[in-house]
Amino acid sequence: MEAELIHSAQSGDRDALIQLLREVETPVYRTAYYLLGNEQDALDAAQEALIRIYTKINSYQEKAQFKTWVQRIVTNICIDKFRKKRETVSIDEHELVFPAPEQVEDILDRSYMASDIRKAIAQLPEHHRMVVTLRYLQDFSYNEISDSLNLPLNTVKSYLFRARQHLQQLLQDYEKGGVRG
Amino acid sequence: MKCAEVIDWMQRELDYDLTEFEQKQLKEHVDGCLECAEMYRRLKHISSELEMLPKVTPAFNLVDAILPRIELQDGLPEATATSESEQALPRSSKRIKGFSSKQWGGIVAASLLLAFGIYYYSPIGAGVDSKPIAADTAKPAAKVSKSDSHQQYGIAAMPEPNESSESSNSDTAKNSSLALAAPHSAQQDTQMGIASSQERELLTSPNGQMTAFINGQQVLVQNHEGKTIFTSKLWEAQYKLSLQSWSEDSQRFIYLVTDLANEQSPQEWEIDWRNQTESKLSR
């Protein structure tokens, strides 16, 4: 089904391409939301990603899964946004990786209760956050994450394991009441 | 088995990556090691928390929101449609096979003008008492339903690709004559000095070549041919956009963004259409 749609889209069938975009809209947004940590940036990034899928559909090759190709596009856009944010908010290297709690509060969407786990995710280094998002929000396997992020399989595992280890440490700190800055 | 090795296995178990034999060995170790049992409990807790993260969905239909942009983009110069970040992705041809993109861009731009043209034209001319749909900037994007989204973005008049070129051409001609009414009214606005933001839906540059207007939750700048040369970022429904002023050299255009959710003074955003950038002005 999806393969047919892709094929039609690549042959210039605009309706097929639009339908394809509709099918990936939610997964694209979800990744952007958890990577960027707030709704407004996620909406911007997701729209940018959809436009890029639209313009680049002919560069998709069947040897990759479509869903991993799509996730690669949205994660690339989010990486770009991290960098831009970094340039505008001049903070030092340490704070970049572990933003202070008040910054985390800022980053997190106010329309949702900022649970501990969300706060903790926002504190993960970008690559760890990406791996966690693809594993838990997209239900991707190690291989699919590796394809999406263009990372070796072992690196994917190592990032994911370290991310969970880091998250459990952060949650333990929250439980004790002392949050790391 | 060493504890460090066991932790690796715990992690793999969370991703369903252990064989039955490995699972058994892991269980044996954890049953006899308090520290590892505690770590396993915590990791499993984290993993189940992550599995329960809300499956968020966008507040409005994103594809409908980008349709006008992707259609307009087909008629824009390449520089505006690309970004440096694409380096990480395989590059290939920009245009989609089967689309005559320039033609599309022209038709869409003309249709947009038609929508705005009707808005400005009707009260003076034909006396049509229709509500201005395309220029209704206050309508939140989140509430756009599938059926009215095309009207919202003023592309209702866009012909289907299969329609004969003859009819599209005559439509386009009609559109441009109607659209002529629009810059005229903008000219009057500028002459009259500062009008309230509600009244100013369209502003012509001092050299008369460029027109800025609000379309949905975006500000568009068109040249004298009616071609869109700049599209601002797409603002969320909570922001109210209003047009402010052109720079004397007609190169930069300032618009105001009011956050309806927060009672703060509006932000000024400046579009530099020549450099294809927009940025917030700091005060």
Side-chain angles (χ1 to χ4, degrees), chain B residues 118-139:
Chain B
I118 287 170
Y119 173 47
Y120 286 97
Y121 185 79
S122 54
I124 316 158
V128 182
D129 189 25
S130 62
K131 280 267 170 198
I133 298 161
D136 183 1
T137 54
K139 191 169 183 177

Side-chain angles (χ1 to χ4, degrees), chain A residues 143-160:
Chain A
N143 272 316
E144 288 166 340
I145 300 171
S146 153
D147 287 347
S148 304
L149 301 179
N150 204 16
L151 289 172
L153 201 63
N154 280 332
T155 309
V156 168
K157 284 191 200 180
S158 141
Y159 283 174
L160 182 59

Side-chain angles (χ1 to χ4, degrees), chain B:
Chain B
M1 240 182 135
K2 287 178 188 160
C3 292
E5 201 183 336
V6 171
I7 290 176
D8 221 52
W9 282 29
M10 290 174 196
Q11 294 268 16
R12 284 177 50 210
E13 172 61 6
L14 298 175
D15 300 320
Y16 318 102
D17 193 43
L18 285 192
T19 63
E20 253 181 64
F21 176 72
E22 287 168 329
Q23 283 174 337
K24 220 173 136 192
Q25 278 196 299
L26 172 66
K27 191 177 181 309
E28 272 170 25
H29 179 96
V30 169
D31 283 348
C33 176
L34 270 180
E35 251 179 70
C36 281
E38 173 59 13
M39 178 56 87
Y40 195 29
R41 188 193 63 75
R42 280 200 242 127
L43 286 175
K44 277 199 287 195
H45 172 68
I46 280 291
S47 196
S48 66
E49 288 249 347
L50 290 169
E51 263 158 18
M52 286 187 303
L53 280 170
K55 305 280 187 277
V56 291
T57 53
F60 56 88
N61 190 315
L62 298 178
V63 176
D64 284 347
I66 61 161
L67 278 178
R69 262 206 287 177
I70 49 186
E71 282 153 2
L72 287 170
Q73 190 172 305
D74 280 346
L76 283 180
E78 298 225 333
T80 60
T82 54
S83 118
E84 68 285 0
S85 65
E86 280 161 15
Q87 286 158 359
L89 294 164
R91 287 197 170 270
S92 80
S93 67
K94 276 216 71 60
R95 302 287 179 213
I96 291 157
K97 266 190 264 165
F99 294 116
S100 162
S101 45
K102 278 217 172 117
Q103 205 175 13
W104 270 105
I107 292 166
V108 173
S111 310
L112 271 172
L113 272 176
L114 171 66
F116 284 94
I118 287 170
Y119 173 47
Y120 286 97
Y121 185 79
S122 54
I124 316 158
V128 182
D129 189 25
S130 62
K131 280 267 170 198
I133 298 161
D136 183 1
T137 54
K139 191 169 183 177
K143 286 181 186 157
V144 177
S145 74
K146 263 187 193 170
S147 58
D148 73 2
S149 63
H150 285 266
Q151 283 183 310
Q152 164 83 4
Y153 290 101
I155 54 170
M158 191 173 70
E160 288 298 316
N162 292 339
E163 273 185 33
S164 76
S165 59
E166 206 182 317
S167 81
S168 333
N169 285 343
S170 65
D171 277 353
T172 315
K174 242 186 293 173
N175 295 356
S176 23
S177 66
L178 273 173
L180 284 175
H184 178 66
S185 72
Q187 201 78 46
Q188 281 173 337
D189 273 352
T190 29
Q191 280 165 3
M192 271 155 46
I194 299 163
S196 83
S197 59
Q198 261 74 20
E199 288 170 296
R200 283 187 295 137
E201 299 289 352
L202 191 149
L203 267 186
T204 306
S205 62
N207 65 6
Q209 296 293 300
M210 247 65 69
T211 308
F213 59 90
I214 295 167
N215 180 33
Q217 287 295 97
Q218 284 177 305
V219 174
L220 268 64
V221 176
Q222 291 189 340
N223 65 11
H224 63 287
E225 293 168 334
K227 189 172 173 185
T228 301
I229 50 172
F230 189 86
T231 308
S232 78
K233 65 185 270 189
L234 183 68
W235 291 88
E236 256 277 75
Q238 75 178 86
Y239 297 98
K240 165 102 175 73
L241 308 183
S242 47
L243 305 175
Q244 176 79 351
S245 58
W246 278 95
S247 63
E248 271 181 27
D249 59 6
S250 301
Q251 278 215 24
R252 282 160 292 124
F253 179 74
I254 295 173
Y255 67 98
L256 297 180
V257 180
T258 313
D259 187 349
L260 300 172
N262 288 310
E263 287 184 12
Q264 284 168 357
S265 52
Q267 293 176 0
E268 284 186 325
W269 282 72
E270 186 178 69
I271 289 171
D272 184 337
W273 61 266
R274 186 150 294 180
N275 293 317
Q276 292 290 316
T277 56
E278 67 175 320
S279 53
K280 189 177 145 188
L281 291 181
S282 49
R283 295 211 126 187

Side-chain angles (χ1 to χ4, degrees), chain A residues 13 17 19 29 36 38 47 51 53 71 77 80 96 100 103 105 111 115-116 127 148 159 171 181:
Chain A
D13 180 343
L17 182 48
Q19 198 184 326
Y29 171 76
L36 300 169
N38 75 81
Q47 289 179 69
I51 290 171
I53 294 165
Q71 289 296 322
I77 286 171
D80 248 29
L96 261 182
Q103 283 175 324
E105 290 291 349
S111 66
S115 67
D116 281 354
H127 275 91
S148 304
Y159 283 174
L171 286 202

